[in-house]
Every structure is written in C-alpha cells, then in structure tokens.
Amino acid sequence: MKPRMKILAAAMLLMMAGAAQAGLLSDDEARARIVEQQKQIDAQQQQVGELKQILQALQGNVTALETAVRNQRLLDLYTQIEQLGTEINNLRGQIEVLGNQIDGAQKRQKDMYVDLDTRLRRMEQAASEAAAAPASAVSDVTAAPTLKTAEASAENAAYEAAYGLFKIGNYQGAIAGFQNFLRTYPVSALAPNAQYWIGNSYFALRDFKSAISSQQQLLAAYPDSAKAADALFNIASSQIELGDSKAAKKSLEDLVAKHPASDAAAKAKRRLATLK
C-alpha cells in the first residue's frame, strides 16, 4: 500500500474511533438524565405520599371537628330541652296556684251568696208569716200550728232540699229541685230566690246561655225582687264568658242604674273598669 493511502486509512480509523467514542458518551448522558428524572419522579411520588398523609390527617381532623360540632349542638339542644322542661314545670306550678286561687275565690263567692240568700230568705219568710198570721195567733203563743203554718213548713223544706243540693255542688239536682219548687209553689215569697239559683246553677255548669235565660225570667217576673241586682250581675258574668263584652257592659250599666245601693252594683263598677 502506498504511504498516502496508509495515511488516509489511518485518518479514517481515527475518525471512526472518535465517532464511536462520541456515541458512547451520548448514551451515558442519556442514562444520567434518565437516572436524574427517575430521582425527580421518586421525589414527587414521595411528596404525593406525604400530601396524601397530610390530607388523611386533615380529613380525620375535619371528621373529629364535625363530631365535636354535632356533639355540641346535641348538648345545646339537650340544654334547651331541659330549660323548656323547667319553664313548663314552673308554668304548671303557676297554673296550679292560680287554679287554687280561683277555686278559693269561687268558694268564697258561693259562701257569700249562700249567707246572703239565707239572711234574705229568713227576712222574707218572717215578713210573709207576719203578714199572713192572724192577730190571735200572734198574741197566743201556745196556739196549735195552723194549716198555713204546715204549708209554710213544707214549702220551706222543699226550698231547703233544692238549696242543699246547690251547696254541695249538685247543680243539676238543684236545678230540678228549684224547678219543682216553682211548679209546686208558684206564688211563694221564695220563688224569686229559686229562679235565681236555677240561673246560678246553670252558670256553675258553664251553660251560660241557659243562665242568662233563667235570670231574664227572674227579672221579667220579679223586677223588684231583692235578687234582681244579683241576677243582672250573673247575666253580665255569663255574657263575659260568652265573649260578648258589649252586652255585658250594657247589663252592668243597667245594674248600677237600677240598683245603685246594692252590693252587686259595687262589683259591677269594678267589673266595668276592666271592660273599658
């Protein structure tokens, strides 16, 4: 081989060796880059894992917080229920006290009416007997009872029987007893009283319309009776219970105008003050 050709061949060999060496260096760099990228991937995966752990921890905290909030709400609700229960018990106690006060007031009022009626009845009976008895009967205290006296005793017993039913709270029985009394003794001096207690018995039974009707019968038949003022007051009370304040006011005003000196008129004035 000629020297020139040898030189060219040697140069080519050198070039090929350089190229081969260059190719090997590129592979190493690629591998290095792959390794570096793998490291980055591993680092990112580690960060993702850490983030997942943080997220799970946060979810656990959120769940715990929700549980705490729920428990607090339940506790608040339970506290409110206890407070309402206490308030209800207090209200029940107040209602019971008021009920006792009302019962006491009604009993005192009934006792007052009973006492007043007893006094009026005795006065009316005494006046009736004095007017009906002959002079000889008045002067002769040892005389035997007359027929009129026997009738008066039966009349008084019938009234007392009906009145006794009212006093023990048997209002239906009292109504029947007084109605029977009025049928048997329609012109009795006690007839206005019997009619009044019929109306008052209906009022006690909370049959306010019948109470008004009964007292109106008394006023129509016995306008000058000592029970007229009380009958008007009972009518007004029944009208108030029925929610008819306008009619009640009119009845109370009539009571004050017609019977200004009566005890019922004093009560009517107090009641009128509450209706204004």
Side-chain angles (χ1 to χ4, degrees), residues 216-244:
Q216 287 175 339
Q217 291 178 41
L218 185 154
L219 295 174
Y222 315 102
D224 298 325
S225 167
K227 285 294 186 185
D230 290 325
L232 274 170
F233 190 80
N234 190 252
I235 288 173
S237 298
S238 298
Q239 290 166 335
I240 289 172
E241 292 290 342
L242 292 171
D244 193 351

Side-chain angles (χ1 to χ4, degrees), residues 105-271:
Q106 289 178 341
K107 185 179 183 302
R108 289 192 297 272
Q109 184 180 28
K110 186 172 77 172
D111 291 342
M112 180 188 68
Y113 277 127
V114 168
D115 181 66
L116 179 62
D117 181 75
T118 301
R119 294 181 182 182
L120 290 174
R121 181 169 49 80
R122 288 174 180 173
M123 293 172 62
E124 290 170 354
Q125 184 176 359
S128 177
E129 290 177 353
S136 59
V138 174
S139 59
D140 187 3
V141 295
T142 61
T146 63
L147 180 61
K148 289 185 178 179
T149 303
E151 291 177 351
S153 297
E155 176 184 325
N156 187 63
Y159 183 92
E160 286 289 350
Y163 193 55
L165 293 173
F166 177 87
K167 288 191 290 184
I168 65 174
N170 185 357
Y171 303 116
Q172 290 287 7
I175 291 170
F178 282 121
Q179 288 175 341
N180 184 63
F181 176 86
L182 290 173
R183 285 192 295 269
T184 307
Y185 307 101
V187 295
S188 170
L190 296 173
N193 296 38
Q195 186 63 47
Y196 169 78
W197 290 113
I198 290 174
N200 209 13
S201 296
Y202 277 122
F203 184 87
L205 292 170
R206 302 190 66 79
D207 185 352
F208 302 117
K209 291 183 179 180
S210 295
I212 292 172
S213 176
S214 297
Q215 302 297 11
Q216 287 175 339
Q217 291 178 41
L218 185 154
L219 295 174
Y222 315 102
D224 298 325
S225 167
K227 285 294 186 185
D230 290 325
L232 274 170
F233 190 80
N234 190 252
I235 288 173
S237 298
S238 298
Q239 290 166 335
I240 289 172
E241 292 290 342
L242 292 171
D244 193 351
S245 299
K246 183 177 180 180
K249 185 177 179 181
K250 176 66 168 54
S251 297
L252 293 171
E253 289 173 344
D254 289 345
L255 167 56
V256 174
K258 294 178 180 179
H259 310 280
S262 65
D263 292 337
K267 292 188 292 184
K269 291 177 183 178
R270 292 193 294 270
R271 186 68 62 85

